[in-house]
Amino acid sequence: MKKLIRCLALLTMVAMLAGCAPVDPSSSSSTTATDPATTTTTDPAASSASADQEKVVVGAITSPWTNLYPYEISGTYDEILNIMIYDRLMDVSMDGELVPREVTEVKVSEDGKTLTLSLNQEAHWHDGEPVTADDVVWSFQISCNPELSVSRRYLMNILDGTDENGAQLSEGSVGVSKVDDYTIQLVLKTPMDPVTVFNTLKQFVVLPEHLLSDIPLAEMHTNDFWRSPIGSGPFKYDSEITGERIELVKHDGYEYKTTEIDRLIIRVVPAANIVSGLISGEIDLNMGGSGRIQPVDVATLEADEKLVVESVPCFDFQYMAINDARDYLTDDIKHAMNMAINKQLIVDQLLYGHGTVMKSVWPESHPYYAELDWAGYDPEAAKQIVEESGWDTSRELLMMVPTGNTVREQSATIIQQNLADIGIKVRIQTADFATVMSTCFEGNMDLALLGSAGTVEPHEVSTQFAAGTTTCFSNLQTSEYYDLFLEALKYTRYEDRYPIYQQFQELFNERTPYVTLYSPNMIQAYNSRLSNLDTRDFCQTNYAIWNWKVAD
């Protein structure tokens, strides 16, 4: 078993960073902006001269960041900037390894509920002040204070002294305390593997108490501090042009993980221009999100000698939700639909082989995947099940499909034909994602094609089985699946948790609450001047940018 999974230490997108290429002076800003909306650019000649002396990496995202206030994260692009400017407690690798950042060591109490965290004594804020336990404890406390605007406060609900929404029960109730200047303790509500803890808290970053403590919490998110923020991460804020680009420079005070990159430029580039930008050298790397490289473009990119192209298996997957409240969608019919869908055809034709067929909610590469007698592709057996069930062949099922994911939209047609071949009629209705979500939540559909961003932590997918929640798109009428996830959370050792997740997968295989379809690989292309990138960990939003080598 993986090293961390063997031990007690335990942990839920996609983003990535850049190669190194000469910077177009006409598009490079190197000024420090006072007002991001009115940033001006320095003299192009001066900018070009500066670029000649720096190791510059240019990355692309397809949508702009929301803002630089890290507790109102709204998506991948905000998270990318957060973990460059600020510091996470720890990263988590695809193998379930904890990667030290602000926290260097974790000790777990005998009852599994208290984590003692040692902080990196070399950590400094961008203004040169040391990062101490006071900063970390203060950041936790304000994150749980309902006066502060925090978009994902619910992630804090693992801490003792918080309610189900992650808010403090009373002043000082949150289970975080200082032991000494470089040691803190986290007290959890229930025993939990450190990988689960740090995966849950991966969007939590530490803020500088000495610079922010005098600002009223209710006014924090709109303060001018976030126009030119100071963090303790590997890069310092330099300048930005709102909606177009942001420039970060190397933080020399991040001495314990020094990066070779002097300047990191992140540009907003339309998804359709990512491939051409990589080939032209205008950008060095796409940074994930909706700008993910499509399988159809792999051959084109591989033909360019200056690019490195990697197809990396990840834990996210696509699935077909089945409305559990429909009495005619019995377990037998669900099982038949699963057997009727030619998942391998989708992988081969639509993903060009850059993906894997899904059987469980975890791919075969996942440490919690169970080797079972999984139902496979067998349309003849599926057709027989449908006929023997007395299925009304005049009934037409409504399948909702969100727009924006080309492969998913194309897979809907294959699935429609596969189900027609066994006697089940399906009508496809496409809509924006928000409409599909509300339709599923209201139970006004039979089927829906959706995606899930899994991680090395198996509990990450649990909310899809929590009946009555807005992420349970199958409208489950039973808690039996989710109860097993809650049972597994009581244990911290892999050996204790695995049998429970195996039991869950046995039930999933038998009942088919929804049909898992395929897991697309993350296709990454970057300039060959960059090396020592572990792109597999990009799936965990763990870039280890300090390990990257940049050729002159």
Side-chain angles (χ1 to χ4, degrees):
M1 270 306 142
K2 311 296 182 191
K3 178 174 125 185
L4 185 58
I5 292 176
R6 284 202 306 262
C7 62
L8 274 178
L10 170 58
L11 192 56
T12 124
M13 194 175 271
V14 190
M16 22 244 63
L17 283 155
C20 183
V23 180
D24 177 5
S26 66
S27 64
S28 176
S29 168
S30 58
T31 60
T32 300
T34 309
D35 182 348
T38 59
T39 301
T40 56
T41 305
T42 55
D43 177 64
S47 178
S48 179
S50 175
D52 289 342
Q53 300 169 11
E54 293 180 316
K55 290 187 175 181
V56 181
V57 165
V58 182
I61 56 178
T62 55
S63 296
W65 54 99
T66 305
N67 56 58
L68 297 178
Y69 169 59
Y71 292 165
E72 278 188 347
I73 185 171
S74 62
T76 300
Y77 308 118
D78 292 336
E79 186 176 357
I80 292 170
L81 294 177
N82 279 355
I83 62 174
M84 295 299 155
I85 298 174
Y86 313 102
D87 222 2
R88 273 179 179 164
L89 298 177
M90 279 190 158
D91 283 329
V92 181
S93 75
M94 284 285 282
D95 291 329
E97 300 280 353
L98 290 178
V99 181
R101 286 191 62 165
E102 193 67 62
V103 172
T104 60
E105 184 181 10
V106 182
K107 294 181 180 178
V108 184
S109 63
E110 190 171 338
D111 65 3
K113 293 176 63 176
T114 301
L115 303 184
T116 301
L117 311 181
S118 298
L119 306 180
N120 198 311
Q121 298 187 31
E122 296 181 34
H124 288 81
W125 296 105
H126 296 161
D127 64 358
E129 291 296 313
V131 181
T132 69
D134 292 321
D135 294 302
V136 182
V137 171
W138 180 78
S139 297
F140 269 112
Q141 288 173 339
I142 64 170
S143 296
C144 297
N145 191 319
E147 292 183 21
L148 185 72
S149 178
V150 180
S151 60
R152 299 183 182 182
R153 179 177 285 116
Y154 64 89
L155 296 172
M156 295 293 178
N157 67 12
I158 64 174
L159 298 176
D160 190 42
T162 64
D163 62 19
E164 62 180 5
N165 298 313
Q168 63 185 22
L169 297 176
S170 61
E171 185 176 355
S173 67
V174 181
V176 182
S177 61
K178 172 182 174 181
V179 176
D180 58 42
D181 284 347
Y182 293 99
T183 310
I184 69 168
Q185 283 190 337
L186 298 185
V187 180
L188 309 172
K189 291 178 181 176
T190 60
M192 195 172 290
D193 186 314
V195 174
T196 304
V197 173
F198 290 107
N199 187 61
T200 302
L201 299 177
K202 69 178 182 177
Q203 291 166 352
F204 168 80
V205 294
V206 184
L207 298 181
E209 181 184 18
H210 70 289
L211 297 175
L212 298 173
S213 60
D214 291 336
I215 302 173
L217 294 185
E219 302 172 12
M220 181 78 75
H221 64 296
T222 59
N223 192 271
D224 283 347
F225 179 85
W226 312 112
R227 292 178 179 267
S228 181
I230 291 175
S232 61
F235 290 95
K236 298 188 293 185
Y237 175 90
D238 185 55
S239 67
E240 70 180 304
I241 300 176
T242 302
E244 294 183 22
R245 64 191 292 124
I246 188 168
E247 298 200 16
L248 309 175
V249 294
K250 177 180 178 180
H251 174 208
D252 290 328
Y254 206 71
E255 298 168 349
Y256 48 103
K257 291 184 182 296
T258 303
T259 175
E260 288 191 2
I261 300 169
D262 295 308
R263 180 172 296 271
L264 175 63
I265 301 174
I266 300 173
R267 294 175 51 190
V268 178
V269 178
N273 296 345
I274 294 292
V275 171
S276 60
L278 286 165
I279 292 173
S280 69
E282 293 179 6
I283 59 176
D284 300 308
L285 193 77
N286 66 307
M287 299 179 68
S290 59
R292 174 179 280 193
I293 293 172
Q294 297 303 308
V296 67
D297 294 319
V298 170
T300 300
L301 292 168
E302 287 180 334
D304 191 318
E305 293 183 355
K306 74 174 178 297
L307 296 177
V308 177
V309 183
E310 298 176 353
S311 181
V312 182
C314 290
F315 295 150
D316 58 323
F317 63 94
Q318 297 292 312
Y319 67 95
M320 183 174 74
I322 305 173
N323 191 343
D324 194 46
R326 304 292 204 213
D327 57 5
Y328 49 83
L329 294 176
T330 64
D331 289 348
D332 284 345
I333 292 299
K334 295 175 184 177
H335 199 60
M337 288 193 288
N338 186 34
M339 297 169 64
I341 297 173
N342 192 339
K343 304 174 187 179
Q344 190 63 55
L345 180 67
I346 295 173
V347 170
D348 293 341
Q349 290 195 357
L350 303 185
L351 295 177
Y352 293 78
H354 295 284
T356 56
V357 167
M358 288 289 290
K359 302 172 185 176
S360 173
V361 295
W362 303 296
E364 295 182 36
S365 59
H366 198 282
Y368 283 91
Y369 172 81
E371 289 288 353
L372 303 176
D373 184 18
W374 291 101
Y377 177 56
D378 192 343
E380 292 303 318
K383 184 175 183 180
Q384 183 176 348
I385 291 173
V386 172
E387 291 173 349
E388 292 177 352
S389 72
W391 178 261
D392 181 358
T393 55
S394 67
R395 178 183 287 118
E396 184 178 65
L397 302 182
L398 171 62
M399 179 165 68
M400 299 295 296
V401 181
T403 55
N405 182 318
T406 302
V407 172
R408 180 164 57 199
E409 291 180 58
Q410 293 174 341
S411 72
T413 304
I414 294 176
I415 293 169
Q416 180 187 44
Q417 184 58 56
N418 289 160
L419 296 182
D421 290 342
I422 65 169
I424 297 178
K425 295 180 182 178
V426 173
R427 175 171 60 90
I428 297 172
Q429 181 175 327
T430 59
D432 62 84
F433 189 68
T435 300
V436 174
M437 286 182 65
S438 62
T439 303
C440 291
F441 186 61
E442 294 164 2
N444 295 328
M445 94 304 174
D446 295 297
L447 311 170
L449 298 189
L450 300 162
S452 177
T455 70
V456 71
E457 165 51 38
H459 191 74
E460 194 75 22
V461 299
S462 66
T463 57
Q464 293 169 222
F465 299 90
T469 66
T470 55
T471 54
C472 184
F473 298 114
S474 286
N475 198 17
L476 292 177
Q477 304 297 295
T478 176
S479 67
E480 59 185 328
Y481 306 102
Y482 191 61
D483 288 344
L484 289 170
F485 280 99
L486 295 180
E487 180 66 21
L489 273 185
K490 297 178 182 178
Y491 302 94
T492 59
R493 295 195 312 155
Y494 174 85
E495 292 78 6
D496 296 326
R497 302 179 83 202
Y498 181 82
I500 301 172
Y501 288 119
Q502 180 175 7
Q503 184 181 348
F504 160 79
Q505 289 172 91
E506 290 170 349
L507 182 63
F508 182 89
N509 190 33
E510 176 186 347
R511 297 284 305 277
T512 320
Y514 58 76
V515 176
T516 52
L517 298 169
Y518 57 91
S519 176
N521 289 358
M522 175 181 287
I523 300 169
Q524 187 58 59
Y526 56 91
N527 194 290
S528 59
R529 296 177 68 189
L530 275 179
S531 61
N532 207 36
L533 284 69
D534 189 348
T535 55
R536 183 168 178 261
D537 275 351
F538 289 0
C539 298
Q540 277 289 121
T541 331
N542 171 22
Y543 312 116
I545 196 169
W546 41 83
N547 291 332
W548 297 8
K549 303 299 180 184
V550 185
D552 294 329

